[in-house]
Amino acid sequence: MSDDRTSSRLVGLRDYPKLAEQDQTVVWHPYTQMQEYAETEPIIIDRGEGPYLYDVRRRRFLDAYGSMWCNVWGHNHPELVKAIQQQAGQLCHASLFSVSHVPAIDFANMLVDAIKQDFRFADEAPSLSHVFYSDNGSTAVEVAMKMALQYQNQIGKISRTQFLTFHSGYHGDTFGAMSASNIDVFTQKFSPSLFKCHRATYPMQVDPDEHESTRHHEMQLEALIAGRNDKIAAVVIEPVVQGASGMRPLAEDYLGKIKKYCREYDILLITDEVFAGFCRTGPLIASSAELVEPDIICLGKGITGGTMPMGVTVANDRVFDAFKGVWKDFRQFLHGHTYSGNPLACAVAIRNLEMIYEEKLKENVKSRSRELNYALKRVIGSHPRVGQIRVRGLAVGIPLLDESGSEDGGYESRADANKVCLHAVEKSRVLLRPLGNVITIVPPLNIESEQIEEIVNAIAKALEVLDTPGE
Ligand code: PMP
């Protein structure tokens, strides 16, 4: 690396153009058209404090997309920083391949207890008590899918090699996770290399008080499973809400129906709670909202409070027991990553989980969610270009309608939502991201009323950039 480049971290304010140019050429940003990015003035973040991020040009931005949906306590919360610093002074990394360490053991224990707590009103105590560590949400899902396949193989159901997933689902960017996903623009170019999954409808329920029958979806689901139950290893679903396809809430009680068929046909249920879990939609374990106990849970994003990369996959006894044997049988789970269960990530995950209870985070999510829902409906709900606003916990989707008043579901048609988000960033310094033509709000979970007002006002102002019918 040239001296020039190493020193750029220190240049900051004095040499923004140079830093920007380097960013646009040497850093390849995810899901970003780099040719267009090269024409922009990139926001280069220098530090974070609470819900705000500050860039090298000394501008303050409200992080209303929670740094890609993972932020829990705002930025650089002193308690989380302390947990990382203390752990760094003792042990930065030791691999779980041959040894173990205290933070990995402690966090796994705490998580298993927390799962039990969330399911305390269920008929039976959950047996989800085996924690497998990885590095991110996609690997948490990849691990779950491999676990399900190896499980079926080892219990002698060798024809069970397929998955049932849902329309518009998103599970990550690795190959198994992409195969399970169903947002065409993300996966189309890789489709010849992906494996086929069965797809069922994900019935949406925007208004929690509106109950439409899901009977026909249920019949379709059963027909899909019943004809193929000797082939399907597991069902993979985002419980409560599909995030990446534009915050699409799942019909109430539907997860329970899926579980019923899984049990009836002896298929594993995998809940991908990478987004919906860790209090984003309310409870720590999203599927516990309806007391539906999956066989395998995938967690990520907020698990470290939004500070360090970590994914975990939690399996129940039934799955775990199928991997027992002696070495030469090769029944051990054939998966692992160098940084699985990294001590720094585990240490901060412990503090995050403690704080979730100490600070009554779930209650904050509940009240702020109500507040945000009410404020959005009051301030922008009747805007002619705004469709039915979707809110689950602190995951919000605001679909924009085209000029004829219909919601264009296409992911490619993001022009208007993009315009609105750019306006909010540039004029109000509120960081927002569009998903297709849906504006999304995914703030830190400890957000306060003042910032909710800031976000709603920024969107209301930004909506003025859209043409409205009759203008
Ligand atoms: N599953 C779901 C439901 C997600 O929303 C995401 C990320 N948005 C992932 C998996 C993948 O997580 P990561 O980006 O950490 O790989």
PDB file of all heavy atoms in Angstrom, residues 68-69 135-139 141 170-174 177 238 241-244 272-276 298 300-301 310, ligand 1:
ATOM      1  N   MET A  68     -27.630  -0.518   7.943  1.00  0.00           N
ATOM      2  CA  MET A  68     -28.086  -1.758   7.283  1.00  0.00           C
ATOM      3  C   MET A  68     -28.772  -2.690   8.295  1.00  0.00           C
ATOM      4  O   MET A  68     -28.550  -3.892   8.347  1.00  0.00           O
ATOM      5  CB  MET A  68     -26.934  -2.442   6.542  1.00  0.00           C
ATOM      6  CG  MET A  68     -27.350  -3.239   5.315  1.00  0.00           C
ATOM      7  SD  MET A  68     -28.350  -2.317   4.148  1.00  0.00           S
ATOM      8  CE  MET A  68     -29.929  -3.139   4.323  1.00  0.00           C
ATOM      9  N   TRP A  69     -29.650  -2.031   9.109  1.00  0.00           N
ATOM     10  CA  TRP A  69     -30.629  -2.732   9.951  1.00  0.00           C
ATOM     11  C   TRP A  69     -30.048  -3.466  11.156  1.00  0.00           C
ATOM     12  O   TRP A  69     -30.706  -4.314  11.749  1.00  0.00           O
ATOM     13  CB  TRP A  69     -31.422  -3.763   9.136  1.00  0.00           C
ATOM     14  CG  TRP A  69     -32.013  -3.283   7.855  1.00  0.00           C
ATOM     15  CD1 TRP A  69     -32.079  -1.991   7.407  1.00  0.00           C
ATOM     16  CD2 TRP A  69     -32.654  -4.080   6.857  1.00  0.00           C
ATOM     17  NE1 TRP A  69     -32.716  -1.939   6.186  1.00  0.00           N
ATOM     18  CE2 TRP A  69     -33.071  -3.208   5.826  1.00  0.00           C
ATOM     19  CE3 TRP A  69     -32.919  -5.443   6.728  1.00  0.00           C
ATOM     20  CZ2 TRP A  69     -33.742  -3.666   4.683  1.00  0.00           C
ATOM     21  CZ3 TRP A  69     -33.577  -5.887   5.588  1.00  0.00           C
ATOM     22  CH2 TRP A  69     -33.981  -5.014   4.583  1.00  0.00           C
ATOM     23  N   ASP A 135     -20.295 -15.945  10.970  1.00  0.00           N
ATOM     24  CA  ASP A 135     -19.856 -14.541  10.905  1.00  0.00           C
ATOM     25  C   ASP A 135     -20.901 -13.527  10.473  1.00  0.00           C
ATOM     26  O   ASP A 135     -20.679 -12.338  10.599  1.00  0.00           O
ATOM     27  CB  ASP A 135     -18.708 -14.361   9.908  1.00  0.00           C
ATOM     28  CG  ASP A 135     -17.707 -15.468   9.926  1.00  0.00           C
ATOM     29  OD1 ASP A 135     -17.212 -15.795  11.025  1.00  0.00           O
ATOM     30  OD2 ASP A 135     -17.433 -16.013   8.856  1.00  0.00           O
ATOM     31  N   ASN A 136     -21.987 -13.972   9.877  1.00  0.00           N
ATOM     32  CA  ASN A 136     -22.964 -13.001   9.359  1.00  0.00           C
ATOM     33  C   ASN A 136     -24.305 -13.676   9.131  1.00  0.00           C
ATOM     34  O   ASN A 136     -24.437 -14.888   9.354  1.00  0.00           O
ATOM     35  CB  ASN A 136     -22.446 -12.359   8.054  1.00  0.00           C
ATOM     36  CG  ASN A 136     -22.163 -13.394   6.989  1.00  0.00           C
ATOM     37  OD1 ASN A 136     -23.080 -14.021   6.454  1.00  0.00           O
ATOM     38  ND2 ASN A 136     -20.894 -13.615   6.682  1.00  0.00           N
ATOM     39  N   GLY A 137     -25.276 -12.919   8.677  1.00  0.00           N
ATOM     40  CA  GLY A 137     -26.620 -13.461   8.509  1.00  0.00           C
ATOM     41  C   GLY A 137     -26.701 -14.533   7.431  1.00  0.00           C
ATOM     42  O   GLY A 137     -27.383 -15.551   7.595  1.00  0.00           O
ATOM     43  N   SER A 138     -26.002 -14.302   6.321  1.00  0.00           N
ATOM     44  CA  SER A 138     -26.050 -15.282   5.225  1.00  0.00           C
ATOM     45  C   SER A 138     -25.479 -16.623   5.686  1.00  0.00           C
ATOM     46  O   SER A 138     -26.029 -17.684   5.369  1.00  0.00           O
ATOM     47  CB  SER A 138     -25.234 -14.793   4.022  1.00  0.00           C
ATOM     48  OG  SER A 138     -25.641 -13.511   3.636  1.00  0.00           O
ATOM     49  N   THR A 139     -24.382 -16.567   6.425  1.00  0.00           N
ATOM     50  CA  THR A 139     -23.794 -17.840   6.882  1.00  0.00           C
ATOM     51  C   THR A 139     -24.678 -18.501   7.936  1.00  0.00           C
ATOM     52  O   THR A 139     -24.739 -19.728   8.009  1.00  0.00           O
ATOM     53  CB  THR A 139     -22.361 -17.661   7.429  1.00  0.00           C
ATOM     54  OG1 THR A 139     -22.373 -16.683   8.460  1.00  0.00           O
ATOM     55  CG2 THR A 139     -21.373 -17.298   6.352  1.00  0.00           C
ATOM     56  N   VAL A 141     -27.816 -18.623   7.835  1.00  0.00           N
ATOM     57  CA  VAL A 141     -28.815 -19.350   7.034  1.00  0.00           C
ATOM     58  C   VAL A 141     -28.168 -20.543   6.326  1.00  0.00           C
ATOM     59  O   VAL A 141     -28.709 -21.652   6.308  1.00  0.00           O
ATOM     60  CB  VAL A 141     -29.475 -18.399   6.004  1.00  0.00           C
ATOM     61  CG1 VAL A 141     -30.392 -19.158   5.066  1.00  0.00           C
ATOM     62  CG2 VAL A 141     -30.245 -17.290   6.718  1.00  0.00           C
ATOM     63  N   TYR A 170     -35.942 -13.252   1.239  1.00  0.00           N
ATOM     64  CA  TYR A 170     -34.512 -12.942   1.107  1.00  0.00           C
ATOM     65  C   TYR A 170     -33.776 -13.566   2.284  1.00  0.00           C
ATOM     66  O   TYR A 170     -34.172 -13.383   3.439  1.00  0.00           O
ATOM     67  CB  TYR A 170     -34.261 -11.427   1.078  1.00  0.00           C
ATOM     68  CG  TYR A 170     -32.781 -11.108   1.039  1.00  0.00           C
ATOM     69  CD1 TYR A 170     -32.055 -11.244  -0.152  1.00  0.00           C
ATOM     70  CD2 TYR A 170     -32.088 -10.746   2.190  1.00  0.00           C
ATOM     71  CE1 TYR A 170     -30.692 -11.003  -0.181  1.00  0.00           C
ATOM     72  CE2 TYR A 170     -30.719 -10.497   2.166  1.00  0.00           C
ATOM     73  CZ  TYR A 170     -30.031 -10.633   0.978  1.00  0.00           C
ATOM     74  OH  TYR A 170     -28.677 -10.407   0.941  1.00  0.00           O
ATOM     75  N   HIS A 171     -32.707 -14.300   1.997  1.00  0.00           N
ATOM     76  CA  HIS A 171     -31.997 -14.992   3.076  1.00  0.00           C
ATOM     77  C   HIS A 171     -30.491 -14.767   3.051  1.00  0.00           C
ATOM     78  O   HIS A 171     -29.781 -15.372   3.851  1.00  0.00           O
ATOM     79  CB  HIS A 171     -32.317 -16.488   3.012  1.00  0.00           C
ATOM     80  CG  HIS A 171     -33.779 -16.764   3.160  1.00  0.00           C
ATOM     81  ND1 HIS A 171     -34.425 -16.674   4.374  1.00  0.00           N
ATOM     82  CD2 HIS A 171     -34.732 -17.067   2.240  1.00  0.00           C
ATOM     83  CE1 HIS A 171     -35.719 -16.934   4.199  1.00  0.00           C
ATOM     84  NE2 HIS A 171     -35.928 -17.165   2.918  1.00  0.00           N
ATOM     85  N   GLY A 172     -30.006 -13.934   2.124  1.00  0.00           N
ATOM     86  CA  GLY A 172     -28.574 -13.657   2.116  1.00  0.00           C
ATOM     87  C   GLY A 172     -27.967 -13.881   0.744  1.00  0.00           C
ATOM     88  O   GLY A 172     -28.663 -14.246  -0.215  1.00  0.00           O
ATOM     89  N   ASP A 173     -26.659 -13.689   0.662  1.00  0.00           N
ATOM     90  CA  ASP A 173     -25.988 -13.643  -0.635  1.00  0.00           C
ATOM     91  C   ASP A 173     -25.027 -14.793  -0.898  1.00  0.00           C
ATOM     92  O   ASP A 173     -24.300 -14.785  -1.889  1.00  0.00           O
ATOM     93  CB  ASP A 173     -25.248 -12.305  -0.776  1.00  0.00           C
ATOM     94  CG  ASP A 173     -26.225 -11.165  -1.019  1.00  0.00           C
ATOM     95  OD1 ASP A 173     -27.408 -11.458  -1.263  1.00  0.00           O
ATOM     96  OD2 ASP A 173     -25.812  -9.995  -0.957  1.00  0.00           O
ATOM     97  N   THR A 174     -24.963 -15.772  -0.024  1.00  0.00           N
ATOM     98  CA  THR A 174     -24.176 -16.969  -0.331  1.00  0.00           C
ATOM     99  C   THR A 174     -25.071 -17.902  -1.165  1.00  0.00           C
ATOM    100  O   THR A 174     -26.272 -17.657  -1.293  1.00  0.00           O
ATOM    101  CB  THR A 174     -23.740 -17.653   0.979  1.00  0.00           C
ATOM    102  OG1 THR A 174     -24.887 -17.795   1.814  1.00  0.00           O
ATOM    103  CG2 THR A 174     -22.683 -16.848   1.705  1.00  0.00           C
ATOM    104  N   ALA A 177     -28.213 -19.569   0.479  1.00  0.00           N
ATOM    105  CA  ALA A 177     -29.131 -18.499   0.864  1.00  0.00           C
ATOM    106  C   ALA A 177     -29.751 -17.846  -0.376  1.00  0.00           C
ATOM    107  O   ALA A 177     -30.940 -17.522  -0.389  1.00  0.00           O
ATOM    108  CB  ALA A 177     -28.403 -17.460   1.719  1.00  0.00           C
ATOM    109  N   GLU A 238     -38.842 -16.235   6.657  1.00  0.00           N
ATOM    110  CA  GLU A 238     -38.627 -15.041   7.480  1.00  0.00           C
ATOM    111  C   GLU A 238     -39.910 -14.857   8.307  1.00  0.00           C
ATOM    112  O   GLU A 238     -40.960 -14.543   7.741  1.00  0.00           O
ATOM    113  CB  GLU A 238     -38.454 -13.797   6.600  1.00  0.00           C
ATOM    114  CG  GLU A 238     -37.141 -13.702   5.856  1.00  0.00           C
ATOM    115  CD  GLU A 238     -37.199 -12.638   4.753  1.00  0.00           C
ATOM    116  OE1 GLU A 238     -36.971 -11.459   5.046  1.00  0.00           O
ATOM    117  OE2 GLU A 238     -37.482 -13.003   3.599  1.00  0.00           O
ATOM    118  N   VAL A 241     -41.989 -10.691   9.249  1.00  0.00           N
ATOM    119  CA  VAL A 241     -41.898  -9.726   8.153  1.00  0.00           C
ATOM    120  C   VAL A 241     -40.790 -10.131   7.181  1.00  0.00           C
ATOM    121  O   VAL A 241     -39.731 -10.602   7.603  1.00  0.00           O
ATOM    122  CB  VAL A 241     -41.681  -8.291   8.710  1.00  0.00           C
ATOM    123  CG1 VAL A 241     -40.385  -8.159   9.468  1.00  0.00           C
ATOM    124  CG2 VAL A 241     -41.744  -7.230   7.635  1.00  0.00           C
ATOM    125  N   GLN A 242     -41.080  -9.982   5.889  1.00  0.00           N
ATOM    126  CA  GLN A 242     -40.005 -10.127   4.895  1.00  0.00           C
ATOM    127  C   GLN A 242     -39.349  -8.759   4.772  1.00  0.00           C
ATOM    128  O   GLN A 242     -40.018  -7.794   4.388  1.00  0.00           O
ATOM    129  CB  GLN A 242     -40.579 -10.564   3.544  1.00  0.00           C
ATOM    130  CG  GLN A 242     -40.973 -12.020   3.483  1.00  0.00           C
ATOM    131  CD  GLN A 242     -41.462 -12.435   2.099  1.00  0.00           C
ATOM    132  OE1 GLN A 242     -41.986 -11.611   1.349  1.00  0.00           O
ATOM    133  NE2 GLN A 242     -41.299 -13.699   1.757  1.00  0.00           N
ATOM    134  N   GLY A 243     -38.065  -8.692   5.078  1.00  0.00           N
ATOM    135  CA  GLY A 243     -37.385  -7.392   5.105  1.00  0.00           C
ATOM    136  C   GLY A 243     -37.032  -6.871   3.727  1.00  0.00           C
ATOM    137  O   GLY A 243     -37.588  -5.877   3.250  1.00  0.00           O
ATOM    138  N   ALA A 244     -36.130  -7.577   3.058  1.00  0.00           N
ATOM    139  CA  ALA A 244     -35.517  -7.029   1.841  1.00  0.00           C
ATOM    140  C   ALA A 244     -36.496  -6.852   0.687  1.00  0.00           C
ATOM    141  O   ALA A 244     -36.231  -6.084  -0.226  1.00  0.00           O
ATOM    142  CB  ALA A 244     -34.351  -7.912   1.409  1.00  0.00           C
ATOM    143  N   ASP A 272     -35.623 -17.790   9.648  1.00  0.00           N
ATOM    144  CA  ASP A 272     -34.532 -16.848   9.405  1.00  0.00           C
ATOM    145  C   ASP A 272     -34.906 -15.541  10.105  1.00  0.00           C
ATOM    146  O   ASP A 272     -35.655 -14.722   9.559  1.00  0.00           O
ATOM    147  CB  ASP A 272     -34.349 -16.652   7.895  1.00  0.00           C
ATOM    148  CG  ASP A 272     -33.366 -15.541   7.582  1.00  0.00           C
ATOM    149  OD1 ASP A 272     -32.838 -14.906   8.522  1.00  0.00           O
ATOM    150  OD2 ASP A 272     -33.118 -15.284   6.380  1.00  0.00           O
ATOM    151  N   GLU A 273     -34.382 -15.381  11.310  1.00  0.00           N
ATOM    152  CA  GLU A 273     -34.705 -14.207  12.136  1.00  0.00           C
ATOM    153  C   GLU A 273     -33.555 -13.210  12.139  1.00  0.00           C
ATOM    154  O   GLU A 273     -33.401 -12.413  13.072  1.00  0.00           O
ATOM    155  CB  GLU A 273     -35.041 -14.656  13.561  1.00  0.00           C
ATOM    156  CG  GLU A 273     -36.028 -15.802  13.578  1.00  0.00           C
ATOM    157  CD  GLU A 273     -36.808 -15.929  14.865  1.00  0.00           C
ATOM    158  OE1 GLU A 273     -36.595 -15.115  15.777  1.00  0.00           O
ATOM    159  OE2 GLU A 273     -37.640 -16.849  14.937  1.00  0.00           O
ATOM    160  N   VAL A 274     -32.720 -13.303  11.104  1.00  0.00           N
ATOM    161  CA  VAL A 274     -31.559 -12.413  11.017  1.00  0.00           C
ATOM    162  C   VAL A 274     -32.022 -10.958  11.096  1.00  0.00           C
ATOM    163  O   VAL A 274     -31.424 -10.138  11.800  1.00  0.00           O
ATOM    164  CB  VAL A 274     -30.787 -12.684   9.706  1.00  0.00           C
ATOM    165  CG1 VAL A 274     -29.766 -11.602   9.424  1.00  0.00           C
ATOM    166  CG2 VAL A 274     -30.115 -14.058   9.769  1.00  0.00           C
ATOM    167  N   PHE A 275     -33.124 -10.673  10.403  1.00  0.00           N
ATOM    168  CA  PHE A 275     -33.647  -9.312  10.444  1.00  0.00           C
ATOM    169  C   PHE A 275     -34.721  -9.145  11.535  1.00  0.00           C
ATOM    170  O   PHE A 275     -34.655  -8.239  12.357  1.00  0.00           O
ATOM    171  CB  PHE A 275     -34.222  -8.933   9.068  1.00  0.00           C
ATOM    172  CG  PHE A 275     -34.913  -7.608   9.066  1.00  0.00           C
ATOM    173  CD1 PHE A 275     -34.248  -6.452   9.459  1.00  0.00           C
ATOM    174  CD2 PHE A 275     -36.240  -7.494   8.675  1.00  0.00           C
ATOM    175  CE1 PHE A 275     -34.875  -5.221   9.482  1.00  0.00           C
ATOM    176  CE2 PHE A 275     -36.882  -6.263   8.685  1.00  0.00           C
ATOM    177  CZ  PHE A 275     -36.205  -5.127   9.087  1.00  0.00           C
ATOM    178  N   ALA A 276     -35.709 -10.067  11.549  1.00  0.00           N
ATOM    179  CA  ALA A 276     -36.873  -9.883  12.438  1.00  0.00           C
ATOM    180  C   ALA A 276     -36.537 -10.111  13.911  1.00  0.00           C
ATOM    181  O   ALA A 276     -37.245  -9.623  14.793  1.00  0.00           O
ATOM    182  CB  ALA A 276     -38.000 -10.812  12.008  1.00  0.00           C
ATOM    183  N   CYS A 298     -32.096 -18.827  12.837  1.00  0.00           N
ATOM    184  CA  CYS A 298     -30.916 -18.096  12.346  1.00  0.00           C
ATOM    185  C   CYS A 298     -30.970 -16.673  12.884  1.00  0.00           C
ATOM    186  O   CYS A 298     -31.994 -16.001  12.751  1.00  0.00           O
ATOM    187  CB  CYS A 298     -30.928 -18.017  10.831  1.00  0.00           C
ATOM    188  SG  CYS A 298     -31.250 -19.585  10.027  1.00  0.00           S
ATOM    189  N   GLY A 300     -28.641 -12.830  13.480  1.00  0.00           N
ATOM    190  CA  GLY A 300     -27.474 -12.036  13.045  1.00  0.00           C
ATOM    191  C   GLY A 300     -27.749 -10.576  13.363  1.00  0.00           C
ATOM    192  O   GLY A 300     -28.364 -10.253  14.377  1.00  0.00           O
ATOM    193  N   LYS A 301     -27.315  -9.710  12.492  1.00  0.00           N
ATOM    194  CA  LYS A 301     -27.536  -8.259  12.597  1.00  0.00           C
ATOM    195  C   LYS A 301     -27.412  -7.703  14.024  1.00  0.00           C
ATOM    196  O   LYS A 301     -26.312  -7.488  14.495  1.00  0.00           O
ATOM    197  CB  LYS A 301     -28.885  -7.890  11.972  1.00  0.00           C
ATOM    198  CG  LYS A 301     -28.863  -8.089  10.435  1.00  0.00           C
ATOM    199  CD  LYS A 301     -29.909  -7.277   9.757  1.00  0.00           C
ATOM    200  CE  LYS A 301     -30.027  -7.605   8.284  1.00  0.00           C
ATOM    201  NZ  LYS A 301     -29.105  -6.894   7.427  1.00  0.00           N
ATOM    202  N   MET A 310     -21.398 -11.059  13.419  1.00  0.00           N
ATOM    203  CA  MET A 310     -21.619 -12.376  14.037  1.00  0.00           C
ATOM    204  C   MET A 310     -22.949 -12.952  13.552  1.00  0.00           C
ATOM    205  O   MET A 310     -23.918 -12.215  13.362  1.00  0.00           O
ATOM    206  CB  MET A 310     -21.650 -12.260  15.557  1.00  0.00           C
ATOM    207  CG  MET A 310     -21.935 -13.576  16.248  1.00  0.00           C
ATOM    208  SD  MET A 310     -21.191 -13.639  17.883  1.00  0.00           S
ATOM    209  CE  MET A 310     -22.616 -13.589  18.896  1.00  0.00           C
TER     210      MET A 310
HETATM  211  N1  PMP B   1     -31.592 -13.048   6.221  1.00  0.00           N
HETATM  212  C1  PMP B   1     -32.351 -11.947   6.283  1.00  0.00           C
HETATM  213  C2  PMP B   1     -33.801 -12.079   6.617  1.00  0.00           C
HETATM  214  C3  PMP B   1     -31.806 -10.694   6.034  1.00  0.00           C
HETATM  215  O1  PMP B   1     -32.578  -9.598   6.072  1.00  0.00           O
HETATM  216  C4  PMP B   1     -30.419 -10.613   5.743  1.00  0.00           C
HETATM  217  C5  PMP B   1     -29.729  -9.283   5.488  1.00  0.00           C
HETATM  218  N2  PMP B   1     -30.483  -8.224   5.152  1.00  0.00           N
HETATM  219  C6  PMP B   1     -29.668 -11.782   5.693  1.00  0.00           C
HETATM  220  C7  PMP B   1     -30.282 -12.992   5.947  1.00  0.00           C
HETATM  221  C8  PMP B   1     -28.209 -11.759   5.369  1.00  0.00           C
HETATM  222  O2  PMP B   1     -27.488 -11.171   6.378  1.00  0.00           O
HETATM  223  P1  PMP B   1     -26.006 -10.605   6.102  1.00  0.00           P
HETATM  224  O3  PMP B   1     -26.171  -9.377   5.274  1.00  0.00           O
HETATM  225  O4  PMP B   1     -25.462 -10.332   7.461  1.00  0.00           O
HETATM  226  O5  PMP B   1     -25.258 -11.680   5.396  1.00  0.00           O
END
